[in-house]
Amino acid sequence: SGYLKEQTRCTHNECMHKSSLSGILGLSKYSLIKIEEHPEKILIHVKLRRKTGVCPSCGKRSSKVHEHAPPQTIKHISIGCRQTHLVVYKRRFWCLVCKKTYNERINMIKKWQRHTDLLEDEVIQRLREMSFLGTQKRTGVHYQKQVEILKKFMKPFEANWKRESRMKSFSLGMDGHSFSGHDMVLTVTNLTIPKMISILPSDRKKDIDHFLEDIPKDVKPKISAVCIDMTAGYRSSLKKHLPYASIVVDHFHIIQDANKRIDVERCIANEMLKSQAPKKLFLRNKEYLTDQQQEQIKRWFKKLPDVGALWFFKESLREMYASESREQAKNRLDIIISGLYKQQSKTTSDWARTLERWYQPILNYFDYKITNGYTEGMHTKFKLLKRLGYGFKNKEVYIRKMALACLPLVAFLPR
């Protein structure tokens, strides 16, 4: 009696273990026959619990088994560092209605497919934060198959406007980043939520026009403002397709443009005077200069007065962005532009004309208080993923993988 109780307890524990393992591996509809453990993989022998099969011709169920097919090995999800493979024992049924034979259908494995749907989900989750090589090592799925799964799952060229259609108003962000050298792609974000909307294959006008044309008619009036850098092509496309949206120039790019002008003038002065004026000293903000650096920069201003004038106007622009109202900012910007013209040099006149061209978009910042900080943050993440993957050769694959990294975690919950 004691022996029988012990045997019953062992059998019950084994059934419980198999049941919990089936739930973890998504095999609740299967019966586990046996498990074989190897150093690099785990073989799980399974068969369907249902004793009948549906005929694909007439749709009737049949329990008449015609023959047992040879077992088929299918790649499944990984457990720890080891890949699991399902050894599936399939049956071939005989339909009593249409007198035909057919193989039983396995829901998690599509026709001609040698991996499960759960493995595809795992590949997508890995690719979200890992490189293709790292995903291959963890899942055993080679690069070409990963690309097929990625293209099947991700459609970044088709923007999803469902959340925006429920909003009263929102602001867009548009900023380009480098795919390879001067080959640029364009990131479009919703700055109000915030979220990533789409990644365009280039920053050319035709691609921007195509994207803006496809925005639903009920969504377009809700776009109150668009934050961009100082690219004329973006501005002309936005005026054409979103005439009621205000254009805001990201103030980071205004200061960045000022620093570039200072650095160009510094390089010219260094070459002419055979001096070694340090770059970082002139790019540092005024409030971050130490007492020693303040004395140092004053000495350089005596040697390089043109560089000193540009640095003064750059700091004036930074003070303008600290204005409490649009009117105060407008007065400060007018003083800066007139001061640049009074310098009577080509460098300062060109800078003044640039500020005049972007006069209203610069001041629009004080109405909407938006920046492309979130978009730039996405670009930082893209650069990290690019380094992890040792670069990309295919732009379409790059765009899909970057768009995948921007999806919220809720998109990766089990099916």
Side-chain angles (χ1 to χ4, degrees), residues 254-294:
I254 295 291
I255 305 303
Q256 186 184 53
D257 176 64
N259 283 326
K260 285 180 180 178
R261 293 174 189 275
I262 294 170
D263 196 49
V264 169
E265 190 68 26
R266 181 193 64 85
C267 291
I268 294 171
N270 276 348
E271 189 174 345
M272 290 177 63
L273 302 177
K274 305 299 180 182
S275 59
Q276 295 294 326
K279 178 180 179 178
K280 290 185 178 179
L281 182 64
F282 295 98
L283 302 184
R284 197 171 180 85
N285 295 335
K286 182 179 179 180
E287 62 270 20
Y288 297 131
L289 290 172
T290 62
D291 294 339
Q292 183 181 357
Q293 288 173 335
Q294 288 178 9

Side-chain angles (χ1 to χ4, degrees), residues 311-335:
W311 185 86
F312 170 78
F313 286 114
K314 185 260 288 189
E315 289 300 320
S316 299
L317 278 173
R318 293 184 63 247
E319 290 177 6
M320 181 205 71
Y321 276 108
S323 301
E324 296 180 356
S325 65
R326 180 188 175 104
E327 190 61 32
Q328 185 182 15
K330 180 179 179 299
N331 294 334
R332 288 180 175 181
L333 184 58
D334 289 338
I335 293 171

Side-chain angles (χ1 to χ4, degrees), residues 45-147:
H45 297 253
V46 297
K47 65 178 181 180
L48 280 172
R49 289 181 177 177
R50 189 180 287 276
K51 296 182 179 180
T52 60
V54 180
C55 177
S57 300
C58 63
K60 300 293 183 181
R61 286 194 172 273
S62 175
S63 60
K64 179 71 175 178
V65 179
H66 178 69
E67 62 178 348
H68 291 273
Q72 186 178 21
T73 304
I74 304 294
K75 282 185 179 180
H76 197 41
I77 60 176
S78 57
I79 299 178
C81 297
R82 286 191 287 182
Q83 184 73 35
T84 61
H85 295 259
L86 302 182
V87 182
V88 184
Y89 292 84
K90 297 173 71 174
R91 296 163 292 183
R92 192 167 180 82
F93 288 95
W94 170 264
C95 182
L96 300 175
V97 179
C98 55
K99 309 299 181 185
K100 294 180 181 179
T101 60
Y102 59 91
N103 288 325
E104 63 181 336
R105 185 182 175 186
I106 301 176
N107 293 331
M108 63 190 304
I109 305 169
K110 295 180 176 60
K111 192 176 183 181
W112 311 116
Q113 191 167 280
R114 291 295 176 266
H115 60 268
T116 62
D117 293 337
L118 288 177
L119 181 59
E120 289 189 359
D121 293 345
E122 184 184 2
V123 167
I124 288 297
Q125 290 184 42
R126 301 280 186 192
L127 283 177
R128 188 167 180 257
E129 299 293 343
M130 296 173 65
S131 65
F132 286 101
L133 181 60
T135 303
Q136 181 175 341
K137 289 179 179 178
R138 295 300 299 269
T139 63
V141 179
H142 58 81
Y143 172 76
Q144 291 298 335
K145 180 56 69 175
Q146 289 181 55
V147 171

Side-chain angles (χ1 to χ4, degrees), residues 335-401:
I335 293 171
I336 292 169
I337 293 173
S338 63
L340 286 169
Y341 276 124
K342 286 178 182 178
Q343 294 296 311
Q344 295 182 351
S345 69
K346 185 179 183 304
T347 302
T348 55
S349 296
D350 288 345
W351 192 2
R353 282 191 288 270
T354 300
L355 294 177
E356 283 181 333
R357 281 197 303 272
W358 295 95
Y359 188 83
Q360 288 301 329
I362 290 172
L363 295 177
N364 285 341
Y365 166 77
F366 297 92
D367 293 331
Y368 298 96
K369 298 289 185 179
I370 57 172
T371 70
N372 261 332
Y374 174 76
T375 314
E376 295 290 352
M378 288 292 101
H379 292 173
T380 302
K381 186 172 185 177
F382 297 163
K383 289 175 184 177
L384 174 61
L385 292 173
K386 191 190 290 188
R387 285 198 297 272
L388 288 174
Y390 299 97
F392 290 81
K393 292 182 178 179
N394 188 306
K395 184 185 283 189
E396 183 183 355
V397 173
Y398 169 77
I399 291 175
R400 291 175 188 271
K401 192 169 187 314

